[in-house]
Each structure stands twice: as structure tokens, then as C-alpha cells.
Amino acid sequence: MHISEGVLSGPVLAAGWGLAAAGTAMGLKKLESAEMPKTALLSSAFFVASLVHVPVGPSSVHLILNGLVGVLLGWPAVPALLAALMLQAVFFGYGGVSTLGVNTVVMAAPAVLCRSIAGPHIGNPGRLAAAMAAGAGAFAVFASALLMAAALWFTEGRYLVTAGTVVAAHLPVMAAEGLITALCVGFLRRVEPGLLPAPRAPRGAAPEEKERLKP
Amino acid sequence: MKQSLCLGLIAAAVCAAMLTAPAPARAHKVVVFAWTEGNMVHTESKFPNGKMVNGGKILVLDSRGTRLLEGTTDANGLFSFAAPGKADLKIVLEAGMGHKAEWLVRADELCGAPAPGQSASAPAAPAAPPEPSMATAPESLPPPEVQTSALTGANSPGIEKRLEGIERELTGLKRQIAEQSGKEAGFRDILGGIGYLLGLFGAAALVKARTKKGE
């Protein structure tokens, strides 16, 4: 899910950097001092998760965990992912420094979206919360795959083919991340509900949102 | 206090993720490396977890970026070609889904390649001389052709056999050296990366706390 150096054209790279910078500014503004340790640890978890491999047919894909980071952090997920992606590029050679902006947008935009949809629900007890968390974990990977295909569209063309390939390759990751996110959220709710976003008073809109989350 | 317990749990999850990642860590990037044998250039493309790139596209460019030839890697990630001339070659691998890697073959690694302009139909001649080792300056040695004629002129079959053996060993060595450069990140990089992230957010917390005090 990391785009390498030299694949994308200049305007795409510039657009990626612009959006990533805006998101990072927003994230840093919303990042409160008390949340800093949580942000740092989730950033580390994301950094390390990419080393956990899910073997898929001829290739292999790795965990991403952007859904989990997103629902737990919200906007501050953008700087958290940016920092982790930068270190992944430097230490592991994933992606590249010039593509850092695009890669941040690809991973962080779905994360923030997941928070805004699933965030208010996952703090509640019950099945809906677990389904929301699982949906967020899986949907974040799905949306990242679509965004990545969109970024590659300008150089590789054939949007649907690329998107299909990327989504198909990441189906096992979606399943794994849905499970991991649901387990993590369930665990945190029992052990330390303060780490989850504050639950919103339940409203009638919940079932449709749940449907929308299922990829 | 409660939060510190929870952060400890997340840290434990990070450690678990780290332990499931075997060292040297597997990764989702792609590497291509090349070694020479006479005027044949062999390339090998793989994902650092050992999986070979099957059906990846190899482009061979000259130093000005003009495309000289292209090919596709086989099931073992290999693609070999006869160097079109004694000039620097840039080998570019495109493995799809935003994966791209490069490798440079320097002109002085190519032995027995025809001068640019001549046809390159024949692969390396059986009696192609071994390349000078890295430690010795290539300029100081007589040109390879002179060496060959001198040796065959000596007309001792034992020497030719040994030369061939040395050549094979050198090729193996060159391949090993090339492979080294594609080495993946190890535990040191993982721990270093986590340390950087914690430090980065720690610094951010410090700055935030200072600005709050100043207000």
C-alpha cells in the first residue's frame, strides 16, 4: 500500500503534499497534550504493523492498521501516520520520501473518515459497536486501496483494473484488520473506556451508517 | 494512572507485533539487483520476504534515460540479457501496485561487451576473461582481450579450466554482494523507529506544554 519513489508525476505528488500538510495542521491543532502518549503509541503500532505479513497467493501484503489508528485518534491520526510513514520510508524502504504526502493521504483520509462515522458508536457496549469497529477496520483498508488506485491512475491508467488488483490483494488484510480493530476496541472498552471516543447519545441513524461501513 | 496501564497494554501489543515479525523483518517493498557475467547481465527481483517477483516488468535504460530493451521476470524473479554496449545501464523494475525499484550497472562491470554500435547477438564467449576484482583498479590492468589471447597463447588447458572456475566463483560473489544491498530492516531499525516516534511526540508534548505555560 506504499507507493514507491519515481512512480507518480509531479502534480500528483504536489497535491498529496498539499493535502497531507493541511491534514497535519488540522491534526496538530486538535491534538491535546493529554492525548500525546496515545498518539505516539498508536503511531508506533502503525509503524510496526507493516512488518506483520499476511501471505496472499503469489505476493504478500502487510497489516496497515489505519482504521484502528483512525477510530482511536481522529484528526491527530494524520500527523501520527505521517511520522510513522516517514520512518518506514527511511528505515524499511517502504514508499519514498517524495511520495510521503500521497501515501499519508492514502492512509490517513480513510482513518479520519472512519472516526467521523464509527467514532460516536464504538464507545457504546453491544453488538453495534463491535460491528462498527470491525467495519471501520476493514473499510479503512478498502478506501485506502481505492485512493491508491486513484493516485496511480495518472501514471498507470486503467483505474478500475488497478483498483481491482489492489482491493483483491488486500481482501485478507481487510478481514484481518476488521477482526483486530473489533478486538482492540472491545478490549479497550472493558479495560479503559477513556481511550475510546466519547459515545454520542444513540439516535435513529445508526443502522444505515452500519450498512455504509460494510465494504 | 489508569491511562498508563492502558498505554502499557498498547505497548505490549506493539511488542507482540514485533515478535510475530521475524527478523530480519519481512517487508512489502521490492528490490531488483543485477550482476554481470561477461557481457551478460543477470537481474533478480524479489520482495525482501524472499518471494520472487513473477512477471514484473524490467526496463533497461542508458545513462540518459533512453530505453534500450525491456523484459519480464520469470517465476524465479530472474531476467537476463546481453548488454547492448559497454556503457552504464540503469535497470528499472516495475512490479505493479506502485512498486518500483532501480539498480545501476556500471560500464566497467561489463566485460567483453561490444563497443556501442556493434551488434550484441552472441552471449558471453566461453573463454570470457574473469573480471578484475573490486580491490584492484581496473585501469591498471591490461585490457581483457590482451589477457585472453595471452592465456590461450600459453596453450595450457589446466589454466583455462581454473579460469572458468574462478569466473564462476566471481559471478557467485558478485551476486552475493548485490544481494546484500537489498537487505531488509532488522530489529535495530524497528526499535530505532519506535524510539524516534516516541521522542518526536514527546518533543511535541514539550512544545505544547511550554506554549501553554507562556499564555
Side-chain angles (χ1 to χ4, degrees):
Chain A
M1 192 77 63
H2 299 68
I3 300 176
S4 305
E5 207 86 62
V7 174
L8 298 175
S9 57
V12 180
L13 291 175
W17 276 113
L19 286 172
T24 304
M26 185 72 174
L28 287 177
K29 216 177 103 189
K30 295 224 167 183
L31 179 56
E32 290 178 18
S33 304
E35 298 277 280
M36 208 66 92
K38 185 170 105 178
T39 311
L41 279 169
L42 282 168
S43 180
S44 306
F46 173 87
F47 171 72
V48 173
S50 62
L51 297 173
V52 180
H53 266 252
V54 185
V56 196
S59 182
S60 61
V61 286
H62 56 76
L63 289 184
I64 302 170
L65 289 193
N66 57 341
L68 180 66
V69 175
V71 290
L72 292 181
L73 291 181
W75 276 103
V78 185
L81 296 188
L82 174 72
L85 281 169
M86 185 181 74
L87 290 170
Q88 282 179 351
V90 174
F91 281 118
F92 305 154
Y94 290 17
V97 175
S98 72
T99 53
L100 197 55
V102 173
N103 283 334
T104 303
V105 174
V106 164
M107 313 237 186
V112 175
L113 184 67
C114 278
R115 162 68 167 234
S116 67
I117 297 173
H121 303 281
I122 60 169
N124 295 322
R127 288 235 180 103
L128 172 64
M132 275 289 186
F139 173 77
V141 176
F142 176 73
S144 287
L146 293 188
L147 276 176
M148 181 175 155
L152 292 173
W153 181 28
F154 293 94
T155 41
E156 293 197 358
R158 302 169 301 148
Y159 174 73
L160 284 177
V161 179
T162 314
T165 317
V166 181
V167 169
H170 285 84
L171 280 175
V173 178
M174 285 179 217
E177 301 224 348
L179 190 69
I180 290 172
T181 309
L183 287 177
C184 280
V185 167
F187 179 73
L188 287 178
R189 187 167 49 240
R190 262 181 288 127
V191 181
E192 179 54 75
L195 280 185
L196 297 177
R200 195 173 60 189
R203 270 190 287 161
E208 294 103 82
E209 281 182 345
K210 182 181 159 193
E211 282 312 302
R212 265 169 58 202
L213 268 178
K214 292 242 164 127
Chain B
M1 211 59 242
K2 255 165 94 192
Q3 196 170 19
S4 74
L5 163 85
C6 215
L7 294 178
L9 287 171
I10 294 181
V14 169
C15 291
M18 240 165 58
L19 291 178
T20 56
R26 300 160 154 210
H28 201 210
K29 69 167 188 180
V30 76
V31 286
V32 58
F33 54 85
W35 64 98
T36 56
E37 186 180 4
N39 79 330
M40 287 299 284
V41 180
H42 304 289
T43 71
E44 187 173 326
S45 311
K46 60 180 182 182
F47 297 104
N49 63 353
K51 279 261 161 65
M52 296 306 172
V53 179
N54 185 359
K57 193 172 169 196
I58 297 271
L59 303 175
V60 181
L61 312 173
D62 68 9
S63 49
R64 276 162 310 186
T66 320
R67 186 175 302 188
L68 300 173
L69 58 104
E70 60 179 84
T72 311
T73 62
D74 65 11
N76 295 319
L78 299 172
F79 172 69
S80 301
F81 60 94
K86 201 168 162 56
D88 287 358
L89 295 174
K90 193 161 117 185
I91 292 162
V92 178
L93 165 70
E94 284 176 1
M97 289 209 283
H99 291 125
K100 193 173 185 177
E102 284 182 9
W103 182 268
L104 193 71
V105 177
R106 298 202 175 281
D108 53 14
E109 289 180 52
L110 293 164
C111 256
Q118 275 178 300
S119 82
S121 54
E131 254 183 66
S133 77
M134 287 192 151
T136 55
E139 296 85 42
S140 65
L141 289 172
E145 286 77 12
V146 176
Q147 256 185 350
T148 318
S149 58
L151 286 167
T152 45
N155 200 14
S156 43
I159 284 188
E160 266 201 32
K161 223 178 191 178
R162 278 183 62 191
L163 270 181
E164 260 175 47
I166 290 171
E167 189 186 345
R168 214 173 304 130
E169 272 174 37
L170 263 179
T171 308
L173 268 177
K174 278 190 278 186
R175 179 180 178 165
Q176 263 183 11
I177 291 169
E179 241 171 325
Q180 286 293 322
S181 67
K183 265 269 150 71
E184 241 328 280
F187 264 118
R188 207 180 300 172
D189 301 280
I190 300 174
L191 293 176
I194 293 174
Y196 269 108
L197 285 172
L198 296 185
L200 207 61
F201 283 96
L206 197 70
V207 170
K208 279 226 161 177
R210 284 230 171 131
T211 46
K212 239 181 212 166
K213 238 184 209 171
E215 273 167 11

